[in-house]
Amino acid sequence: MARFRTWVSIAAAGALSASLAGCSSTGGKRAEDARKAASAQGGGAVSTPRWTVAMITHSGDGDTFWDIVQNGAQQAADKDNIKFLYSHDDEGQQQAQLVDAAVDKGVDGIVVTLAKPDAMKSAVARAVRAGIPVITVNSGAEKSKEFGALTHVGQDETIAGEAVGDELNRRGRKTALCVLHEQGNVGHEQRCAGVKKTFDGTVRNIYVEGTDMSAVQSSIGAKLQADPSVDAVVTLGAPYADTAVKARQDAGSKAEIDTFDLNAKVAASLKDGTLGFAVDQQPYLQGYEAVDLLWLYRYNADTLGGGRPVLTGPQIITKDQAAELESYADRGTR
């Protein structure tokens, strides 16, 4: 398998084994077949009790990134004989209420994102006081330990942004738009700040209403028309990359479109050259490892990370690697 340019090491033995399975042409199929067999038999591959794990995220409706996270979490749950419950809300207070509801149900573990940590602090604290182990995932690494979580699984958003700045430099770009689609999301701010830190050119942030793709397209298109010097657009989520491509066409711009995160459409667009590069944080691995780590904690009081996040990225994915990842993206695991 071609070597990916990576800015951090993957800091978990379990993550490594999962990654190796995914990189093998047969390993991924064996894992998928084993999962389906376990599901068909109504149980997992372990003999531990039927524990219940709730995952509560800040996802809005229709975000394909979270479909991939759920795929990973569900497959780990199937293997571990865990009942998996998923809920989401992109408003911090509503997400906190979903955590409170999971606590009231007496679940055996909680996976939660901290995109808006101030809104989540009391709900996570309540779960910890109730003796429910909590793992944070994807966003909120800086607050995870403070809030009492066992560990955090995800990428360092600032480092990911810095990796984008480095890649833009390598490509000779001079002026970039960083498109923030969810106001108040601290991880998004960190990504754009990271780009600014390492990029030798100019970075301009643009805030859009991520739940309205037509408005996103219009906003990006207007910026590109107003400033022909923009030669790169960086979107912070895979669904927005295609919208940025349409905005570029509307504006008659030649700016390169790059994005955080990977899905089937992004993989295909990288392959045909429509997109320049993508930053993969391996959402499948985030979901899988979060659930698996809760099982390990319940079963054997195991923890990973040693007080530091378990990193799943970033990896810069270009046209050279897109073809070999496309089949994984098509099945919803990359």
Side-chain angles (χ1 to χ4, degrees):
M1 194 174 191
R3 179 180 296 275
F4 296 101
R5 288 188 301 281
T6 179
W7 276 254
V8 294
S9 297
I10 305 305
L16 177 60
S17 61
S19 298
L20 290 174
C23 290
S24 167
S25 60
T26 58
K29 185 177 186 303
R30 291 195 189 106
E32 183 79 1
D33 290 344
R35 182 192 69 81
K36 289 179 179 178
S39 296
Q41 295 169 4
V46 298
S47 59
T48 46
R50 181 71 167 168
W51 291 317
T52 299
V53 167
M55 175 181 280
I56 304 101
T57 76
H58 64 276
S59 170
D61 293 331
D63 190 335
T64 55
F65 176 91
W66 293 102
D67 294 338
I68 303 171
V69 175
Q70 286 183 73
N71 285 343
Q74 186 64 64
Q75 291 193 16
D78 290 343
K79 174 181 68 69
D80 293 337
N81 192 30
I82 283 174
K83 180 180 179 181
F84 177 65
L85 307 175
Y86 180 79
S87 58
H88 66 94
D89 202 296
D90 58 3
E91 294 295 331
Q93 292 299 329
Q94 282 69 36
Q95 186 192 1
Q97 289 173 10
L98 292 172
V99 174
D100 285 335
V103 174
D104 291 340
K105 288 178 182 177
V107 298
D108 301 295
I110 289 176
V111 180
V112 66
T113 61
L114 301 178
K116 298 168 183 175
D118 291 343
M120 301 302 297
K121 184 175 182 178
S122 62
V124 174
R126 182 169 176 248
V128 173
R129 287 196 304 270
I132 299 173
V134 175
I135 286 181
T136 60
V137 65
N138 178 260
S139 56
E142 298 81 6
K143 296 293 185 179
S144 179
K145 187 175 181 180
E146 176 187 334
F147 285 9
L150 297 176
T151 193
H152 178 84
V153 181
Q155 72 179 2
D156 184 298
E157 302 292 17
T158 299
I159 290 176
E162 292 172 0
V164 170
D166 287 339
E167 184 66 15
L168 291 173
N169 289 335
R170 193 187 71 81
R171 291 166 176 266
R173 302 300 165 182
K174 302 301 180 183
T175 305
L177 287 182
C178 196
V179 184
L180 296 97
H181 62 266
E182 185 181 337
Q183 293 195 35
N185 186 321
V186 294
H188 289 183
E189 298 286 349
Q190 289 167 344
R191 289 179 181 182
C192 291
V195 177
K196 288 183 179 180
K197 184 176 179 180
T198 57
F199 184 43
D200 295 334
T202 300
V203 179
R204 297 183 181 132
N205 289 0
I206 172 176
Y207 293 87
V208 298
E209 183 55 57
T211 57
D212 185 346
M213 282 299 191
S214 62
V216 173
Q217 184 173 334
S218 297
S219 296
I220 297 174
K223 285 289 186 181
L224 291 175
Q225 285 183 325
D227 188 356
S229 71
V230 174
D231 56 7
V233 177
V234 179
T235 62
L236 302 188
Y240 302 93
D242 189 52
T243 301
V245 168
K246 295 174 183 176
R248 175 180 63 187
Q249 294 169 344
D250 293 343
S253 170
K254 295 183 179 180
E256 178 180 281
I257 309 299
D258 308 305
T259 190
F260 283 77
D261 302 331
L262 187 72
N263 63 13
K265 177 65 175 176
V266 167
S269 295
L270 289 170
K271 185 178 177 181
D272 66 21
T274 303
L275 298 179
F277 66 90
V279 186
D280 186 20
Q281 61 176 305
Q282 302 186 104
Y284 172 89
L285 193 57
Q286 290 179 12
Y288 190 100
E289 285 301 308
V291 171
D292 216 26
L293 288 176
L294 282 174
W295 179 84
L296 285 165
Y297 183 79
R298 297 286 313 189
Y299 174 65
N300 204 44
D302 288 323
T303 60
L304 281 180
R308 296 179 180 272
V310 176
L311 299 179
T312 62
Q315 291 180 332
I316 296 293
I317 308 297
T318 67
K319 183 176 182 178
D320 293 339
Q321 297 89 32
E324 59 189 334
L325 293 182
E326 191 173 22
S327 62
Y328 301 147
D330 284 340
R331 75 180 184 189
T333 58
R334 286 299 290 262

CSV table of all heavy atoms in Angstrom, one decimal, residues 17-75:
chain,number,residue,atom,x,y,z
A,17,SER,N,-4.2,-2.4,14.8
A,17,SER,CA,-4.7,-3.7,14.3
A,17,SER,C,-5.9,-3.5,13.4
A,17,SER,O,-6.1,-4.2,12.4
A,17,SER,CB,-5.1,-4.6,15.5
A,17,SER,OG,-6.1,-4.1,16.3
A,18,ALA,N,-6.8,-2.5,13.8
A,18,ALA,CA,-8.0,-2.2,12.9
A,18,ALA,C,-7.5,-1.7,11.6
A,18,ALA,O,-8.1,-2.0,10.5
A,18,ALA,CB,-8.9,-1.3,13.6
A,19,SER,N,-6.5,-0.8,11.6
A,19,SER,CA,-6.0,-0.2,10.4
A,19,SER,C,-5.4,-1.3,9.5
A,19,SER,O,-5.6,-1.2,8.3
A,19,SER,CB,-5.0,0.9,10.7
A,19,SER,OG,-5.5,1.9,11.5
A,20,LEU,N,-4.7,-2.2,10.0
A,20,LEU,CA,-4.1,-3.2,9.2
A,20,LEU,C,-5.1,-4.1,8.5
A,20,LEU,O,-5.0,-4.5,7.4
A,20,LEU,CB,-3.2,-4.1,10.1
A,20,LEU,CG,-1.9,-3.4,10.5
A,20,LEU,CD1,-1.1,-4.3,11.5
A,20,LEU,CD2,-1.0,-3.0,9.4
A,21,ALA,N,-6.2,-4.4,9.3
A,21,ALA,CA,-7.3,-5.2,8.7
A,21,ALA,C,-7.9,-4.4,7.5
A,21,ALA,O,-8.2,-5.0,6.5
A,21,ALA,CB,-8.3,-5.5,9.8
A,22,GLY,N,-8.1,-3.1,7.7
A,22,GLY,CA,-8.7,-2.3,6.7
A,22,GLY,C,-7.8,-2.2,5.4
A,22,GLY,O,-8.3,-2.0,4.3
A,23,CYS,N,-6.5,-2.2,5.6
A,23,CYS,CA,-5.5,-2.0,4.5
A,23,CYS,C,-5.3,-3.3,3.7
A,23,CYS,O,-4.8,-3.3,2.6
A,23,CYS,CB,-4.2,-1.5,5.0
A,23,CYS,SG,-4.2,0.1,5.6
A,24,SER,N,-5.7,-4.4,4.2
A,24,SER,CA,-5.6,-5.7,3.5
A,24,SER,C,-6.8,-5.9,2.6
A,24,SER,O,-7.9,-5.7,3.0
A,24,SER,CB,-5.5,-6.8,4.5
A,24,SER,OG,-5.6,-8.1,3.9
A,25,SER,N,-6.5,-6.4,1.4
A,25,SER,CA,-7.6,-6.6,0.5
A,25,SER,C,-8.5,-7.7,0.9
A,25,SER,O,-9.7,-7.8,0.5
A,25,SER,CB,-7.0,-7.0,-0.9
A,25,SER,OG,-6.2,-8.2,-0.8
A,26,THR,N,-8.0,-8.6,1.8
A,26,THR,CA,-8.9,-9.7,2.3
A,26,THR,C,-9.3,-9.5,3.7
A,26,THR,O,-10.3,-9.9,4.2
A,26,THR,CB,-8.2,-11.0,2.2
A,26,THR,OG1,-6.9,-11.0,2.9
A,26,THR,CG2,-7.9,-11.4,0.8
A,27,GLY,N,-8.4,-8.7,4.5
A,27,GLY,CA,-8.7,-8.5,5.9
A,27,GLY,C,-10.0,-7.8,6.2
A,27,GLY,O,-10.8,-8.1,7.0
A,28,GLY,N,-10.3,-6.7,5.4
A,28,GLY,CA,-11.5,-6.0,5.5
A,28,GLY,C,-12.7,-6.8,5.2
A,28,GLY,O,-13.7,-6.8,5.9
A,29,LYS,N,-12.6,-7.7,4.2
A,29,LYS,CA,-13.7,-8.6,3.9
A,29,LYS,C,-14.0,-9.6,5.0
A,29,LYS,O,-15.1,-9.9,5.4
A,29,LYS,CB,-13.5,-9.3,2.6
A,29,LYS,CG,-14.7,-10.2,2.1
A,29,LYS,CD,-14.4,-10.8,0.8
A,29,LYS,CE,-15.6,-11.5,0.3
A,29,LYS,NZ,-16.1,-12.6,1.2
A,30,ARG,N,-12.9,-10.1,5.6
A,30,ARG,CA,-13.1,-11.1,6.7
A,30,ARG,C,-13.7,-10.4,7.9
A,30,ARG,O,-14.6,-11.0,8.5
A,30,ARG,CB,-11.7,-11.6,7.1
A,30,ARG,CG,-11.0,-12.6,6.1
A,30,ARG,CD,-9.9,-13.3,6.7
A,30,ARG,NE,-9.1,-14.0,5.7
A,30,ARG,CZ,-7.9,-13.7,5.3
A,30,ARG,NH1,-7.4,-12.6,5.8
A,30,ARG,NH2,-7.3,-14.4,4.4
A,31,ALA,N,-13.3,-9.2,8.2
A,31,ALA,CA,-13.9,-8.5,9.3
A,31,ALA,C,-15.4,-8.3,9.1
A,31,ALA,O,-16.2,-8.4,9.9
A,31,ALA,CB,-13.2,-7.2,9.6
A,32,GLU,N,-15.7,-7.9,7.8
A,32,GLU,CA,-17.1,-7.6,7.5
A,32,GLU,C,-17.9,-8.9,7.5
A,32,GLU,O,-19.1,-8.9,8.1
A,32,GLU,CB,-17.2,-7.0,6.0
A,32,GLU,CG,-18.5,-6.7,5.6
A,32,GLU,CD,-19.0,-5.3,6.1
A,32,GLU,OE1,-18.2,-4.7,6.8
A,32,GLU,OE2,-20.1,-4.9,5.8
A,33,ASP,N,-17.4,-10.0,7.0
A,33,ASP,CA,-18.1,-11.3,7.1
A,33,ASP,C,-18.3,-11.7,8.5
A,33,ASP,O,-19.4,-12.2,8.9
A,33,ASP,CB,-17.3,-12.4,6.3
A,33,ASP,CG,-17.3,-12.1,4.8
A,33,ASP,OD1,-18.2,-11.3,4.4
A,33,ASP,OD2,-16.5,-12.7,4.1
A,34,ALA,N,-17.3,-11.5,9.4
A,34,ALA,CA,-17.4,-11.9,10.8
A,34,ALA,C,-18.5,-11.1,11.5
A,34,ALA,O,-19.3,-11.6,12.3
A,34,ALA,CB,-16.1,-11.8,11.5
A,35,ARG,N,-18.5,-9.8,11.2
A,35,ARG,CA,-19.5,-9.0,11.8
A,35,ARG,C,-20.9,-9.4,11.4
A,35,ARG,O,-21.9,-9.5,12.2
A,35,ARG,CB,-19.3,-7.5,11.4
A,35,ARG,CG,-20.3,-6.5,12.0
A,35,ARG,CD,-20.2,-5.2,11.3
A,35,ARG,NE,-20.8,-5.2,10.0
A,35,ARG,CZ,-22.1,-5.1,9.7
A,35,ARG,NH1,-22.9,-5.1,10.6
A,35,ARG,NH2,-22.4,-5.2,8.4
A,36,LYS,N,-21.1,-9.7,10.1
A,36,LYS,CA,-22.5,-10.1,9.6
A,36,LYS,C,-22.9,-11.4,10.2
A,36,LYS,O,-24.0,-11.6,10.6
A,36,LYS,CB,-22.4,-10.2,8.1
A,36,LYS,CG,-22.3,-8.8,7.4
A,36,LYS,CD,-22.3,-9.0,5.9
A,36,LYS,CE,-22.2,-7.6,5.2
A,36,LYS,NZ,-22.1,-7.8,3.7
A,37,ALA,N,-21.9,-12.3,10.4
A,37,ALA,CA,-22.2,-13.6,11.0
A,37,ALA,C,-22.6,-13.4,12.4
A,37,ALA,O,-23.6,-14.1,12.9
A,37,ALA,CB,-21.0,-14.5,10.9
A,38,ALA,N,-21.9,-12.6,13.1
A,38,ALA,CA,-22.3,-12.3,14.5
A,38,ALA,C,-23.6,-11.7,14.7
A,38,ALA,O,-24.4,-12.1,15.5
A,38,ALA,CB,-21.2,-11.4,15.2
A,39,SER,N,-23.9,-10.8,13.8
A,39,SER,CA,-25.2,-10.1,13.8
A,39,SER,C,-26.4,-11.1,13.5
A,39,SER,O,-27.4,-11.1,14.2
A,39,SER,CB,-25.3,-8.9,12.8
A,39,SER,OG,-24.4,-8.0,13.2
A,40,ALA,N,-26.1,-12.0,12.6
A,40,ALA,CA,-27.1,-12.9,12.2
A,40,ALA,C,-27.4,-13.9,13.3
A,40,ALA,O,-28.6,-14.4,13.5
A,40,ALA,CB,-26.7,-13.7,11.0
A,41,GLN,N,-26.4,-14.2,14.2
A,41,GLN,CA,-26.6,-15.1,15.3
A,41,GLN,C,-27.2,-14.4,16.5
A,41,GLN,O,-27.4,-15.0,17.5
A,41,GLN,CB,-25.3,-15.8,15.6
A,41,GLN,CG,-24.8,-16.7,14.5
A,41,GLN,CD,-23.3,-17.1,14.7
A,41,GLN,OE1,-22.8,-16.8,15.8
A,41,GLN,NE2,-22.8,-17.8,13.8
A,42,GLY,N,-27.3,-13.1,16.4
A,42,GLY,CA,-27.9,-12.3,17.5
A,42,GLY,C,-27.0,-12.1,18.7
A,42,GLY,O,-27.4,-11.7,19.8
A,43,GLY,N,-25.7,-12.2,18.5
A,43,GLY,CA,-24.7,-12.0,19.5
A,43,GLY,C,-23.4,-11.6,19.0
A,43,GLY,O,-23.2,-11.6,17.8
A,44,GLY,N,-22.5,-11.3,19.9
A,44,GLY,CA,-21.1,-10.9,19.4
A,44,GLY,C,-20.1,-12.0,19.5
A,44,GLY,O,-20.5,-13.2,19.7
A,45,ALA,N,-18.9,-11.6,19.3
A,45,ALA,CA,-17.8,-12.6,19.3
A,45,ALA,C,-17.3,-12.8,20.7
A,45,ALA,O,-16.3,-13.5,20.9
A,45,ALA,CB,-16.7,-12.2,18.4
A,46,VAL,N,-17.9,-12.2,21.7
A,46,VAL,CA,-17.4,-12.4,23.1
A,46,VAL,C,-18.5,-12.9,24.0
A,46,VAL,O,-19.7,-12.9,23.6
A,46,VAL,CB,-16.9,-11.0,23.7
A,46,VAL,CG1,-15.8,-10.4,22.9
A,46,VAL,CG2,-18.1,-10.0,23.7
A,47,SER,N,-18.1,-13.3,25.2
A,47,SER,CA,-19.1,-13.9,26.1
A,47,SER,C,-19.5,-13.0,27.3
A,47,SER,O,-20.1,-13.4,28.2
A,47,SER,CB,-18.5,-15.2,26.7
A,47,SER,OG,-17.3,-15.0,27.4
A,48,THR,N,-19.1,-11.7,27.2
A,48,THR,CA,-19.4,-10.7,28.2
A,48,THR,C,-20.9,-10.4,28.2
A,48,THR,O,-21.6,-10.6,27.2
A,48,THR,CB,-18.5,-9.5,28.0
A,48,THR,OG1,-18.6,-9.1,26.7
A,48,THR,CG2,-17.1,-9.7,28.4
A,49,PRO,N,-21.4,-9.8,29.3
A,49,PRO,CA,-22.8,-9.4,29.3
A,49,PRO,C,-23.2,-8.5,28.2
A,49,PRO,O,-22.3,-7.8,27.5
A,49,PRO,CB,-22.9,-8.7,30.7
A,49,PRO,CG,-21.8,-9.3,31.5
A,49,PRO,CD,-20.7,-9.5,30.5
A,50,ARG,N,-24.5,-8.4,27.9
A,50,ARG,CA,-25.0,-7.5,26.9
A,50,ARG,C,-25.1,-6.1,27.4
A,50,ARG,O,-26.1,-5.6,27.9
A,50,ARG,CB,-26.4,-8.0,26.5
A,50,ARG,CG,-27.1,-7.2,25.4
A,50,ARG,CD,-26.5,-7.4,24.1
A,50,ARG,NE,-27.3,-6.9,23.0
A,50,ARG,CZ,-26.9,-6.8,21.7
A,50,ARG,NH1,-25.7,-7.1,21.4
A,50,ARG,NH2,-27.8,-6.3,20.8
A,51,TRP,N,-23.9,-5.4,27.4
A,51,TRP,CA,-23.8,-4.0,27.8
A,51,TRP,C,-24.4,-3.0,26.8
A,51,TRP,O,-24.5,-3.4,25.6
A,51,TRP,CB,-22.4,-3.6,28.1
A,51,TRP,CG,-21.8,-4.3,29.3
A,51,TRP,CD1,-22.4,-4.5,30.5
A,51,TRP,CD2,-20.5,-4.9,29.4
A,51,TRP,NE1,-21.6,-5.2,31.3
A,51,TRP,CE2,-20.4,-5.4,30.7
A,51,TRP,CE3,-19.4,-5.0,28.5
A,51,TRP,CZ2,-19.2,-6.1,31.1
A,51,TRP,CZ3,-18.3,-5.6,29.0
A,51,TRP,CH2,-18.2,-6.2,30.3
A,52,THR,N,-24.8,-1.9,27.2
A,52,THR,CA,-25.4,-0.8,26.4
A,52,THR,C,-24.5,0.4,26.3
A,52,THR,O,-24.1,0.9,27.4
A,52,THR,CB,-26.8,-0.4,26.8
A,52,THR,OG1,-27.7,-1.6,26.8
A,52,THR,CG2,-27.4,0.7,25.9
A,53,VAL,N,-24.2,0.8,25.1
A,53,VAL,CA,-23.3,2.0,25.0
A,53,VAL,C,-24.1,3.0,24.1
A,53,VAL,O,-24.7,2.7,23.1
A,53,VAL,CB,-22.0,1.7,24.3
A,53,VAL,CG1,-21.3,3.0,23.8
A,53,VAL,CG2,-21.1,0.9,25.2
A,54,ALA,N,-24.2,4.3,24.6
A,54,ALA,CA,-24.8,5.4,23.9
A,54,ALA,C,-23.8,6.3,23.3
A,54,ALA,O,-22.8,6.7,24.0
A,54,ALA,CB,-25.8,6.1,24.8
A,55,MET,N,-23.9,6.6,22.0
A,55,MET,CA,-23.1,7.6,21.4
A,55,MET,C,-24.0,8.9,21.1
A,55,MET,O,-25.0,8.7,20.5
A,55,MET,CB,-22.4,7.1,20.1
A,55,MET,CG,-21.7,8.2,19.4
A,55,MET,SD,-20.9,7.6,17.8
A,55,MET,CE,-19.4,6.7,18.5
A,56,ILE,N,-23.5,10.0,21.6
A,56,ILE,CA,-24.3,11.3,21.3
A,56,ILE,C,-23.3,12.3,20.7
A,56,ILE,O,-22.3,12.7,21.3
A,56,ILE,CB,-24.8,11.8,22.7
A,56,ILE,CG1,-25.7,10.8,23.4
A,56,ILE,CG2,-25.6,13.1,22.4
A,56,ILE,CD1,-25.0,10.1,24.5
A,57,THR,N,-23.6,12.7,19.5
A,57,THR,CA,-22.7,13.6,18.8
A,57,THR,C,-23.4,14.9,18.4
A,57,THR,O,-24.6,15.1,18.6
A,57,THR,CB,-22.3,12.9,17.4
A,57,THR,OG1,-23.3,13.0,16.5
A,57,THR,CG2,-21.8,11.5,17.6
A,58,HIS,N,-22.6,15.8,17.9
A,58,HIS,CA,-23.0,17.2,17.6
A,58,HIS,C,-23.4,17.2,16.1
A,58,HIS,O,-23.6,18.3,15.5
A,58,HIS,CB,-21.9,18.2,17.8
A,58,HIS,CG,-20.7,18.0,17.0
A,58,HIS,ND1,-19.7,17.1,17.4
A,58,HIS,CD2,-20.3,18.6,15.8
A,58,HIS,CE1,-18.8,17.2,16.5
A,58,HIS,NE2,-19.1,18.0,15.5
A,59,SER,N,-23.6,16.1,15.5
A,59,SER,CA,-23.9,16.1,14.0
A,59,SER,C,-25.2,16.7,13.7
A,59,SER,O,-26.2,16.6,14.4
A,59,SER,CB,-23.9,14.6,13.5
A,59,SER,OG,-24.4,14.5,12.2
A,60,GLY,N,-25.2,17.4,12.6
A,60,GLY,CA,-26.5,17.9,12.0
A,60,GLY,C,-27.0,16.8,11.1
A,60,GLY,O,-26.4,15.7,10.9
A,61,ASP,N,-28.2,17.0,10.6
A,61,ASP,CA,-28.9,16.0,9.7
A,61,ASP,C,-28.1,15.9,8.4
A,61,ASP,O,-27.7,16.9,7.8
A,61,ASP,CB,-30.3,16.3,9.5
A,61,ASP,CG,-31.2,16.3,10.7
A,61,ASP,OD1,-30.9,15.4,11.6
A,61,ASP,OD2,-32.2,17.0,10.8
A,62,GLY,N,-28.0,14.6,7.9
A,62,GLY,CA,-27.5,14.4,6.6
A,62,GLY,C,-26.0,14.5,6.4
A,62,GLY,O,-25.5,14.5,5.3
A,63,ASP,N,-25.2,14.5,7.5
A,63,ASP,CA,-23.7,14.6,7.4
A,63,ASP,C,-23.2,13.2,7.3
A,63,ASP,O,-23.2,12.4,8.2
A,63,ASP,CB,-23.2,15.3,8.7
A,63,ASP,CG,-21.7,15.6,8.5
A,63,ASP,OD1,-21.0,15.0,7.7
A,63,ASP,OD2,-21.2,16.6,9.2
A,64,THR,N,-22.6,12.9,6.1
A,64,THR,CA,-22.2,11.5,5.8
A,64,THR,C,-21.0,11.1,6.7
A,64,THR,O,-20.7,9.9,6.9
A,64,THR,CB,-21.8,11.4,4.3
A,64,THR,OG1,-20.8,12.4,4.0
A,64,THR,CG2,-23.0,11.6,3.5
A,65,PHE,N,-20.2,12.1,7.2
A,65,PHE,CA,-19.1,11.8,8.1
A,65,PHE,C,-19.6,10.9,9.2
A,65,PHE,O,-18.9,10.0,9.6
A,65,PHE,CB,-18.5,13.1,8.6
A,65,PHE,CG,-17.4,12.9,9.6
A,65,PHE,CD1,-16.1,12.8,9.2
A,65,PHE,CD2,-17.6,12.8,11.0
A,65,PHE,CE1,-15.0,12.6,10.1
A,65,PHE,CE2,-16.6,12.6,11.9
A,65,PHE,CZ,-15.3,12.5,11.4
A,66,TRP,N,-20.7,11.3,9.8
A,66,TRP,CA,-21.2,10.6,11.0
A,66,TRP,C,-21.8,9.2,10.7
A,66,TRP,O,-21.9,8.4,11.5
A,66,TRP,CB,-22.2,11.5,11.8
A,66,TRP,CG,-21.4,12.6,12.3
A,66,TRP,CD1,-21.4,13.9,11.9
A,66,TRP,CD2,-20.5,12.6,13.4
A,66,TRP,NE1,-20.5,14.7,12.6
A,66,TRP,CE2,-19.9,13.9,13.6
A,66,TRP,CE3,-20.1,11.6,14.3
A,66,TRP,CZ2,-19.0,14.2,14.6
A,66,TRP,CZ3,-19.1,11.9,15.3
A,66,TRP,CH2,-18.6,13.2,15.4
A,67,ASP,N,-22.2,9.0,9.4
A,67,ASP,CA,-22.6,7.7,9.0
A,67,ASP,C,-21.4,6.7,9.1
A,67,ASP,O,-21.5,5.6,9.5
A,67,ASP,CB,-23.1,7.7,7.5
A,67,ASP,CG,-24.4,8.5,7.4
A,67,ASP,OD1,-25.1,8.7,8.4
A,67,ASP,OD2,-24.6,8.9,6.2
A,68,ILE,N,-20.2,7.2,8.7
A,68,ILE,CA,-19.0,6.4,8.8
A,68,ILE,C,-18.6,6.1,10.2
A,68,ILE,O,-18.2,5.0,10.6
A,68,ILE,CB,-17.9,7.1,8.0
A,68,ILE,CG1,-18.3,7.4,6.6
A,68,ILE,CG2,-16.6,6.2,8.1
A,68,ILE,CD1,-17.3,8.2,5.8
A,69,VAL,N,-18.7,7.2,11.1
A,69,VAL,CA,-18.4,6.9,12.5
A,69,VAL,C,-19.4,5.9,13.1
A,69,VAL,O,-18.9,5.0,13.8
A,69,VAL,CB,-18.6,8.3,13.3
A,69,VAL,CG1,-18.5,8.0,14.8
A,69,VAL,CG2,-17.6,9.3,12.9
A,70,GLN,N,-20.6,6.0,12.7
A,70,GLN,CA,-21.6,5.0,13.2
A,70,GLN,C,-21.3,3.6,12.7
A,70,GLN,O,-21.5,2.6,13.4
A,70,GLN,CB,-23.0,5.4,12.8
A,70,GLN,CG,-23.6,6.6,13.5
A,70,GLN,CD,-25.0,6.9,13.1
A,70,GLN,OE1,-26.0,6.1,13.4
A,70,GLN,NE2,-25.2,7.9,12.3
A,71,ASN,N,-20.9,3.5,11.5
A,71,ASN,CA,-20.5,2.2,10.9
A,71,ASN,C,-19.4,1.5,11.8
A,71,ASN,O,-19.5,0.3,12.1
A,71,ASN,CB,-20.1,2.3,9.5
A,71,ASN,CG,-21.2,2.5,8.5
A,71,ASN,OD1,-22.4,2.3,8.8
A,71,ASN,ND2,-20.9,3.0,7.3
A,72,GLY,N,-18.4,2.3,12.1
A,72,GLY,CA,-17.3,1.8,12.9
A,72,GLY,C,-17.8,1.4,14.3
A,72,GLY,O,-17.5,0.3,14.8
A,73,ALA,N,-18.6,2.2,14.9
A,73,ALA,CA,-19.1,2.0,16.3
A,73,ALA,C,-20.0,0.8,16.3
A,73,ALA,O,-20.0,-0.1,17.2
A,73,ALA,CB,-19.9,3.2,16.8
A,74,GLN,N,-20.9,0.6,15.3
A,74,GLN,CA,-21.8,-0.5,15.2
A,74,GLN,C,-21.1,-1.8,15.0
A,74,GLN,O,-21.4,-2.8,15.6
A,74,GLN,CB,-22.8,-0.3,14.1
A,74,GLN,CG,-23.9,-1.3,14.1
A,74,GLN,CD,-24.8,-1.3,15.3
A,74,GLN,OE1,-25.5,-0.3,15.6
A,74,GLN,NE2,-24.8,-2.4,16.1
A,75,GLN,N,-20.1,-1.8,14.2
A,75,GLN,CA,-19.3,-3.0,14.0
A,75,GLN,C,-18.6,-3.5,15.2
A,75,GLN,O,-18.5,-4.7,15.5
A,75,GLN,CB,-18.4,-2.9,12.8
A,75,GLN,CG,-19.2,-2.7,11.5
A,75,GLN,CD,-18.3,-2.9,10.2
A,75,GLN,OE1,-17.2,-3.4,10.3
A,75,GLN,NE2,-18.8,-2.5,9.1
